[in-house]
Amino acid sequence: MKKFIILGILLVGTTAFTQEPLDTENLFVRVFDMQGTKIAKGFVVSWSSNGLVLIKGKKTTEIPFNNIEKIKLKRAGGHNVGMGALFGATTGAVFGLALGEEEGFFVTSTSENMVGFSIIGAFLGSVIGGVSTVAKKNRTIVIDGDVKNWEQLVNQ
């Protein structure tokens, strides 16, 4: 039985360190042109030899591969900071509402407690979001106007 467990661990360990193919389902990308300017962002819908098709909201955009220098996967670090601040502010406001008027730290009204705790929560949430940005592994795919660079990563 121990041999099967060790064999299973070895098999799982070898697949964990191989280069993973790019899963384009629900893949959020930021596309940059040859000058390094961001020209589009959104979720990958499809691609062809002509270009990459992205969707953002209800708007679909097709970007020709010969205009793309690089594609960055995942969202920028500011997204983590913003989402952390939003979550912290909401949690702080609910906490201030739950405390009510009797046990308030800031002043005597419930609304002032909510505002005070939401400010503290937004600050702490943005700090946690900033720390999580460091741990996030963003990936950059260099296209340089050649569709073969994209297809090589997707079709592995």
Side-chain angles (χ1 to χ4, degrees):
M1 184 68 180
K2 289 181 184 179
K3 291 179 183 178
F4 288 117
I5 293 173
I6 291 173
L7 179 65
I9 290 172
L10 288 175
L11 290 175
V12 171
T14 56
T15 59
F17 292 110
T18 60
Q19 185 176 1
E20 295 179 20
L22 193 59
D23 182 19
T24 58
E25 187 175 327
N26 292 326
L27 179 66
F28 184 84
V29 296
R30 295 173 285 143
V31 181
F32 294 84
D33 65 2
M34 296 297 185
Q35 289 77 31
T37 306
K38 182 169 59 172
I39 55 174
K41 64 181 178 179
F43 292 94
V44 175
V45 176
S46 65
W47 70 91
S48 65
S49 60
N50 298 334
L52 185 66
V53 180
L54 303 177
I55 187 166
K56 184 176 180 191
K58 294 183 180 182
K59 183 181 175 189
T60 305
T61 308
E62 183 173 357
I63 301 121
F65 277 110
N66 58 0
N67 293 345
I68 299 174
E69 176 190 8
K70 62 185 172 185
I71 298 174
K72 291 188 176 184
L73 307 181
K74 299 189 181 180
R75 296 188 183 266
H79 182 263
N80 286 13
V81 173
M83 293 305 288
L86 180 66
F87 180 75
T90 305
T91 305
V94 169
F95 185 70
L97 178 66
L99 284 180
E101 294 179 6
E102 299 102 28
E103 302 174 18
F105 290 122
F106 294 101
V107 285
T108 57
S109 75
T110 303
S111 61
E112 290 174 348
N113 255 347
M114 287 176 60
V115 169
F117 279 109
S118 66
I119 290 171
I120 291 172
F123 175 73
L124 292 175
S126 63
V127 168
I128 291 170
V131 169
S132 72
T133 300
V134 174
K136 186 167 71 167
K137 295 179 181 176
N138 283 347
R139 224 173 126 187
T140 301
I141 301 170
V142 179
I143 301 295
D144 283 332
D146 190 8
V147 68
K148 292 177 186 174
N149 294 338
W150 169 261
E151 288 176 346
Q152 182 180 15
L153 286 169
V154 173
N155 295 328
Q156 284 182 351

